[in-house]
Amino acid sequence: MLWALRGAVLLFLLLAFLDPRWPAPARVVYLLDFSPSAREGVFAVAGSLPRDGIYVAFAERAVRLPAPTARRLDLGEGTDLRAAFREAEALGAQRVVLVSDGLLEPVPPPFPLDAVHVPPSPQVAVRLVPPPYPLYGETVGVGVVLEAPVPAEARLRVEGPGGILERSLRVEGRRSLVYAFSLTGEARVRARVEGEWGVREAEVRLAPADRGRALVLGDPALARYLEAQGFQVEEGPFRLPLEADLVAVGLGVADLPEGAVEALRAYLHRGGGLLFTATPKGLFFGGWDRFLAEDLPLKPLNRRGAALVLVLDVSGSMAEERRLEMAVQGALSLVRSASEDDYLGVVLFSSEARWLFPPRPMTPQGRREAESLLLSLRPGGGTILGPAYREAVLALQDLPVERKEILVLSDGIIYDPPEPILELARTSGMRTSTLALGAGADQAFLETLARAGGGTYYFAPVPQDLPRLFLQEGERLFAGEEVEGAFPLEARPHPLTEGFLPPPARVLLPARAEPWAEVLLWSGERAVLAVGERGEGRVAALATDLSRSWGEWEAAAGFLGGLARYLMGSRRALALYAYPEAGGVQVAVLGDLEAPVALAGGRETPLVPVAPGRFEARLPGEGVLLDRGRRVPLALPPAGEWAPVDGRAVLRALAEGSGGRLLTPEELGGPVAAPLGLRPYLLALALALFLLERLLEARASRPRGAV
């Protein structure tokens, strides 16, 4: 008997390893594809579906149906299988039956799925593929792409600047042709394809690439000049991603959202064009010489340093709502906005005063030490300001700079007598600004202190406002200075300056050029306009205010237009487009390339120069562009709703991958089961027999008569 039990245990373990399934009734949800390509086929089989099933119709969105024969034509033109799966999960589906033509993006189902393939409707879709960078006056081609899931006859009509193109054709799979015309301005191309199924239309608008896209931030005069030169100008706001060919900046760092500096640096190094102008908020006034120090071609000349002592409240209440954390972030922005000629110190006050670090030059070493000390701060204690304020005044008195200021930040009531502090502010000669944090701050006293010290009063309702206000104060104090007068300009020989003679500048920010930059305009020893390359992009800085200096110069628009085209030239070097054509892919690349090669289908195809700065090639499929170490994808537009794919194979893969199968329409009316896994039961039975066998063996091994 023991041998029989052991054999049974081994048998059940073997069966558990094979994981057999037992058919069991299941909660089944039927997903009916009501997208335009599938709905007619689904309607045709709806009558054979069980009346008591749970039904969901889907296209771009999914809704539950009261019966399989109900029809919904308002679910959109696309096919979103994820939306259908989410609805099925919400209905508690144990198994799903998908009825579709398979012209959809395959998504792995989260449940067992059976599928039924219905033939797609015989329709032809049309799409227009424009070249993203057509040149003014060039003969351009708009790709007309026709797609049909099953062979179909169609009549095509294309209208645009090149006249009317009409064709009768048979579309099998994907077919394309090119509608060509000379681009001399904004153009509209419309395509219409019709047949027994109805009508499909598409439209595309083009503008010459010479009308570069310029994002202008804070310089209305420059925006008008660029518009006069045919640029597509957008005057803010700053938003990501930066998709313009040129970004012109006449605002300061504090005027732009958090992360703008990093975004502009990345945009430049990826091939974008940047232009900084000296508006009242731009260039050195905006802190760009400090926050974008390695990428700005101009720096202040003979700049006089400034000194600032931050008198910072570190009392216990600063631990609430991340107040001290945000104050530290603001102080770090002061550190970054100061140059090596500037002094910065921080004195702390709570129940007593103590220096975090006395005023020191913000050299690279000084910056690192200041940042480390600021990040070590911890709150605690009361709110006594007087001793700390006196320490700040004494520390500033002997510093070798002309501009000396104090910034006081507090979030609570100041407990020491106010009059001695106010008297010191009035008589010290130091400009004092104050910043009240939150509704609990001593706002009346801090505003009075700022007035007594001849400074600015700031109010931050929430701690998140602190970094911006700190940065605003730092920009004002540490910014460069402009000079007014009549400054004759001298142009250096360069293609950008040829034929231009700028008038004297009325306002100037004294500047010097970085060693890597090329100066185009001088005024004595001062650099006025400099350009350079950083990463794959180009950057320029203009040290004069256009509205005040060049408002009456008739040639200003032409000069600035040429400068803008030069700056965006490196970005245009990567301009390309691709469209399907006669079983392959036609590609065109525009720009300053050396020897571009396309890699597609495992082989390299040289691109042939067909015009100055234009290269073309015909490839067997999608690939990548190779030039001077760059790799740029050459990809076709994504397939549409009517893309010619094997829908039956798509559905079979979905079903078999989830443990289901591809059904025929005749099998739809039968019962659908959710196989019940028997492995846990077999393992439990094997364990029970094993324990029984061990018990019997133990009894058999006892000596006779033993208790």
Side-chain angles (χ1 to χ4, degrees), residues 418-609:
E419 192 52 43
I421 302 175
L422 297 175
E423 180 62 24
L424 182 58
R426 285 189 286 265
T427 59
S428 67
M430 312 293 177
R431 189 178 191 273
T432 299
S433 296
T434 60
L435 203 164
L437 172 57
D442 199 338
Q443 298 181 45
F445 170 75
L446 291 173
E447 186 172 5
T448 303
L449 177 59
R451 192 161 49 247
T456 304
Y457 167 71
Y458 300 98
F459 174 65
V462 294
Q464 287 73 16
D465 292 335
L466 290 179
R468 176 181 56 84
L469 295 176
F470 271 102
L471 185 57
Q472 182 177 329
E473 179 68 9
E475 278 192 11
R476 186 200 56 75
L477 175 62
F478 297 136
E481 296 180 349
E482 69 178 22
V483 292
E484 296 184 6
F487 305 96
L489 300 181
E490 177 184 353
R492 179 176 180 177
H494 190 277
L496 291 176
T497 60
E498 186 175 351
F500 292 100
L501 182 60
R506 297 179 181 176
V507 60
L508 207 62
L509 269 66
R512 60 174 178 82
E514 290 285 66
W516 51 266
E518 183 177 11
V519 179
L520 302 186
L521 295 179
W522 292 90
S523 179
E525 296 181 355
R526 299 164 175 166
V528 179
L529 172 62
V531 299
E533 297 186 359
R534 309 305 285 169
E536 296 182 2
R538 294 172 180 168
V539 60
L542 180 63
T544 187
D545 187 343
L546 296 174
S547 62
R548 289 187 282 173
S549 288
W550 289 354
E552 299 177 1
W553 184 28
E554 295 181 357
F559 178 75
L560 293 167
L563 174 63
R565 291 186 179 90
Y566 169 79
L567 294 174
M568 73 184 216
S570 61
R571 189 173 182 84
R572 290 175 56 179
L574 296 180
L576 53 91
Y577 63 91
Y579 53 86
E581 184 176 271
V585 177
Q586 183 71 26
V587 300
V589 183
L590 310 177
D592 181 19
L593 305 178
E594 289 184 355
V597 174
L599 177 62
R603 67 179 185 183
E604 293 186 353
T605 302
L607 274 71
V608 179

Side-chain angles (χ1 to χ4, degrees), residues 246-420:
L246 172 74
V247 178
V249 184
L251 295 175
V253 175
D255 301 310
L256 298 179
E258 185 178 354
V261 175
E262 293 75 15
L264 287 171
R265 181 182 292 113
Y267 167 81
L268 172 64
H269 284 255
R270 287 197 308 265
L274 282 183
L275 172 60
F276 293 88
T277 59
T279 66
K281 290 186 175 182
L283 202 58
F284 308 151
F285 293 138
W288 293 107
D289 57 310
R290 301 180 296 278
F291 283 87
L292 211 61
E294 297 180 357
D295 296 310
L296 197 71
L298 292 181
K299 294 293 175 61
L301 179 66
N302 300 327
R303 182 181 176 277
R304 294 178 298 173
L308 174 68
V309 172
L310 172 63
V311 183
L312 180 61
D313 185 349
V314 291
S315 60
S317 60
M318 288 290 285
E320 302 172 5
E321 300 176 342
R322 301 177 60 205
R323 294 177 183 176
L324 184 57
E325 179 184 343
M326 290 293 101
V328 168
Q329 293 301 316
L332 290 174
S333 70
L334 288 176
V335 172
R336 290 190 290 269
S337 65
S339 71
E340 295 188 16
D341 299 322
D342 298 319
Y343 289 78
L344 182 65
V346 178
V347 60
L348 311 176
F349 70 96
S350 53
S351 299
E352 58 184 15
R354 64 183 178 89
W355 282 101
L356 181 65
F357 57 88
R360 63 179 65 179
M362 286 295 99
T363 61
Q365 178 65 24
R367 290 172 188 267
R368 287 192 294 270
E369 294 176 356
E371 291 173 352
S372 177
L373 290 168
L374 284 165
L375 292 172
S376 69
L377 285 180
R378 298 292 182 272
T383 314
I384 299 178
L385 171 64
Y389 184 73
R390 284 191 292 273
E391 288 285 339
V393 172
L394 293 173
L396 287 171
Q397 286 178 346
D398 297 328
L399 292 181
V401 293
E402 293 184 8
R403 290 178 295 167
K404 304 174 183 180
E405 297 195 11
I406 298 171
L407 176 61
V408 178
L409 180 146
S410 178
D411 73 332
I413 300 298
I414 306 300
Y415 286 105
D416 40 354
E419 192 52 43

